[in-house]
């Protein structure tokens, strides 16, 4: 369970907030228009704060000091960018995600090292996948791919080991490197390399596959 702040309560923000809340997360939604909270519906069991998403006082009211993930998903790129900068640099939120509405701004987001989702459809689903993958696993974003570092969890497979080739073939991912859980060895793998439960793994995963792949990521 994560503490998540969603900035923006339009179509995307309200959908995302409900998805996260239904998944058992503690969710607080920020919007400057109090009427926007009606988009959440009656079944939303999180909290709301009226205000601007990059205002320090507003963020403190929303619980930013204990926040695990912050998603800025308004329709304004500059607002999302400012929210991401304040959340990550001023408050040290571990994982900040910004919606990128205009692809012409993509270079600026990349130069600033901001995790983002670009597009006008399926944005809520893409951000949700990033959140549920585990905020501690995310390292960087490259187009359609996420670079993740995580401890391998094989408990759902009833196995203690798995070959790199099997993991890559069955889940359409690329294993970049791994390190044994006891720190005894690290390697750039081949398809025949063996991974053990608890090994530290560096992997490249498509956005849309993160949710299904997350069963291999230890919390």
């Amino acid at each position: 369970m994560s503490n998540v702040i969603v900035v923006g309560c339009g179509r995307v923000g309200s959908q995302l907030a409900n998805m996260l809340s239904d998944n058992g997360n503690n969710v607080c939604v920020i919007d400057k228009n109090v009427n926007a909270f009606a988009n959440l519906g009656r079944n939303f069991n999180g909290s709301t704060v009226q205000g601007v998403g990059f205002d320090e006082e507003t963020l403190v009211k929303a619980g930013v000091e204990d926040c695990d993930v912050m998603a800025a998903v308004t329709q304004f790129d500059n607002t999302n960018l400012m929210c991401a900068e304040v959340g990550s640099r001023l408050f040290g939120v571990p994982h900040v995600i910004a919606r990128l509405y205009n692809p012409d701004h993509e270079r600026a987001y990349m130069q600033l090292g901001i995790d983002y989702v670009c597009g006008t459809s399926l944005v809520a689903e893409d951000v949700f996948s990033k959140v549920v993958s585990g905020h501690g696993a995310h390292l960087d974003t490259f187009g359609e791919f996420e670079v993740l570092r995580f401890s391998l969890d094989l408990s759902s497979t009833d196995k203690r080991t798995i070959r790199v080739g099997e993991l890559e073939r069955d889940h359409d991912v690329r294993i970049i490197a791994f390190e044994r859980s006891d720190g005894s060895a690290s390697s750039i793998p081949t398809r025949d390399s063996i991974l053990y439960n608890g090994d530290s793994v560096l992997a490249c995963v498509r956005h849309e596959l993160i949710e299904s792949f997350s069963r291999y990521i230890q919390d």
Side-chain angles (χ1 to χ4, degrees):
M1 181 176 66
S2 298
N3 296 322
V4 186
I5 292 176
V6 176
V7 181
C9 198
R11 179 186 59 82
V12 170
S14 58
Q15 182 183 359
L16 174 62
N18 277 297
M19 291 170 68
L20 291 168
S21 180
D22 290 344
N23 197 52
N25 297 284
N26 295 322
V27 184
C28 182
V29 183
I30 298 174
D31 200 289
K32 63 182 181 181
N33 180 7
V34 68
N35 294 323
F37 297 134
N39 292 325
L40 293 166
R42 295 181 178 180
N43 295 326
F44 176 67
N45 59 11
S47 60
T48 59
V49 173
Q50 183 183 8
V52 177
F54 51 81
D55 177 72
E56 295 177 33
E57 185 176 346
T58 299
L59 286 169
V60 170
K61 288 181 180 178
V64 71
E65 293 166 319
D66 296 313
C67 182
D68 299 307
V69 186
M70 178 176 170
V73 292
T74 77
Q75 293 186 4
F76 304 100
D77 286 351
N78 288 339
T79 298
N80 295 336
L81 182 60
M82 292 176 68
C83 291
E85 287 284 276
V86 172
S88 61
R89 299 185 187 278
L90 187 60
F91 290 103
V93 176
H95 191 182
V96 174
I97 307 164
R99 178 186 185 183
L100 177 57
Y101 202 78
N102 184 345
D104 291 340
H105 298 159
E106 187 170 8
R107 180 177 295 274
Y109 276 56
M110 293 179 65
Q111 289 176 339
L112 290 169
I114 293 174
D115 190 9
Y116 64 91
V117 168
C118 186
T120 56
S121 62
L122 300 179
V123 175
E125 289 87 345
D126 288 345
V127 177
F128 178 77
S129 294
K130 286 174 175 284
V131 175
V132 299
S133 71
H135 64 274
H138 173 83
L139 288 178
D140 211 338
T141 302
F142 291 94
E144 299 178 0
F145 300 90
E146 297 290 324
V147 178
L148 307 176
R149 179 170 182 166
F150 56 91
S151 293
L152 184 65
D153 183 1
L154 296 177
S155 60
S156 63
T157 67
D158 295 324
K159 298 179 180 179
R160 295 295 299 174
T161 66
I162 189 169
R163 289 186 182 275
V164 166
E166 180 184 349
L167 198 59
E168 291 182 334
R169 181 196 67 223
D170 292 348
H171 301 281
D172 195 22
V173 305
R174 180 59 55 88
I175 306 302
I176 303 168
F178 68 88
E179 182 178 42
R180 296 302 181 208
S181 58
D182 60 3
S184 61
S186 59
S187 178
I188 296 175
T190 67
R191 293 182 59 83
D192 290 328
S193 296
I194 301 296
L195 298 176
Y196 292 83
N197 189 62
D199 281 353
S200 180
V201 178
L202 191 65
C204 188
V205 186
R206 288 184 182 275
H207 292 327
E208 66 269 21
L209 300 179
I210 289 177
E211 184 175 359
S212 61
F213 187 73
S214 63
R215 69 189 182 110
Y216 291 102
I217 299 174
Q218 287 186 10
D219 293 331

